[in-house]
Amino acid sequence: MAAPQLLMPKATAVWLVENTTLTFDQIGAFCNLHPLEVQGIADGEVAIGIVGLDPTTNGQLTKEEIERCEKDGTQRLKMAKVAIPLPLTRSKGPRYTPVSKRQDKPDAVAWLVRHHPELTDAQISRLIGTTKQTIAAVRDRTHWNSANLRPRDPVLLGLCTQTDLNNAILKARKAAGKPATLDPLPGAEPIVEEPMQEPKEKSRFDIGSFFPSKN
């Protein structure tokens, strides 16, 4: 029998961040999120607008278990036995993305293409739930909004988890016959982020010079 899956892990993480003194590692391990993603929730950069879900009200966690782990940061939360059957996590199919975040997908694609060129279009599509057509348009700069794209980390945007991204990178590097590591590959040139250019100041001129003076 498969292990029970946590209901609404990101909403649960929001509640645990706001209502407990558990460490980011403890919350991440229980909610299957990377500690940096949990830190992003605490900093208000991830899961914006998500209402916290109290796991003690649906019986997935007890107050005693929370208190036990609050006293020792090395301990890990254990899910309580739930009498009611829980829905299985869907492993296939397109990833649902809130409407408010869909506009961020091209920025995430640009970041992945720049920082992890070893990732295939299929991997990027699965990671952030976008189409191969969009990825191709970002790659060859034919995207309708190319001039305004800003490469941004999809993890910080809340479009994927750090764990999923790391797994995709390792798989892509292994398939390409490269070292299966998250460290920069030998010989890779460091990527320097280009500073945003300030808009050029409009030239100043005296409009009166275009008209003859009246004497």
Side-chain angles (χ1 to χ4, degrees), residues 28-76:
F30 182 70
C31 299
N32 195 28
L33 301 173
H34 192 278
L36 290 178
E37 194 171 3
V38 180
Q39 182 177 350
I41 292 175
D43 293 338
E45 299 175 350
V46 179
I48 300 173
I50 293 181
V51 178
L53 175 66
D54 184 353
T56 64
T57 60
N58 57 26
Q60 293 197 286
L61 197 60
T62 64
K63 293 181 179 179
E64 291 75 16
E65 182 66 8
I66 293 175
E67 292 173 357
R68 180 183 71 84
C69 292
E70 284 180 323
K71 295 176 182 178
D72 186 353
T74 64
Q75 298 297 316
R76 290 292 180 263

Side-chain angles (χ1 to χ4, degrees), residues 118 173 178-179 181 183-189:
E118 66 272 23
R173 291 183 174 180
K178 298 178 180 179
T181 174
D183 297 327
L185 296 175
E189 297 183 1

Side-chain angles (χ1 to χ4, degrees), residues 76-156:
R76 290 292 180 263
L77 292 165
K78 295 181 180 179
M79 189 180 297
K81 293 183 179 180
V82 184
I84 60 174
L86 299 176
L88 296 177
T89 302
R90 186 177 63 179
S91 58
K92 295 183 179 180
R95 180 190 298 273
Y96 173 75
T97 304
V99 175
S100 60
K101 289 186 177 294
R102 292 178 190 176
Q103 61 186 5
D104 295 332
K105 289 184 179 182
D107 287 351
V109 172
W111 189 92
L112 291 170
V113 169
R114 171 181 291 187
H115 292 273
H116 298 289
E118 66 272 23
L119 293 175
T120 65
D121 288 0
Q123 286 179 307
I124 295 175
S125 177
R126 285 194 296 269
L127 272 175
I128 61 177
T130 190
T131 65
K132 292 184 179 180
Q133 290 84 351
T134 297
I135 299 169
V138 173
R139 282 187 185 276
D140 58 24
R141 300 191 178 186
T142 58
H143 189 273
W144 67 272
N145 198 31
S146 289
N148 298 315
L149 292 184
R150 293 188 301 121
R152 291 186 289 166
D153 189 336
V155 175
L156 297 181

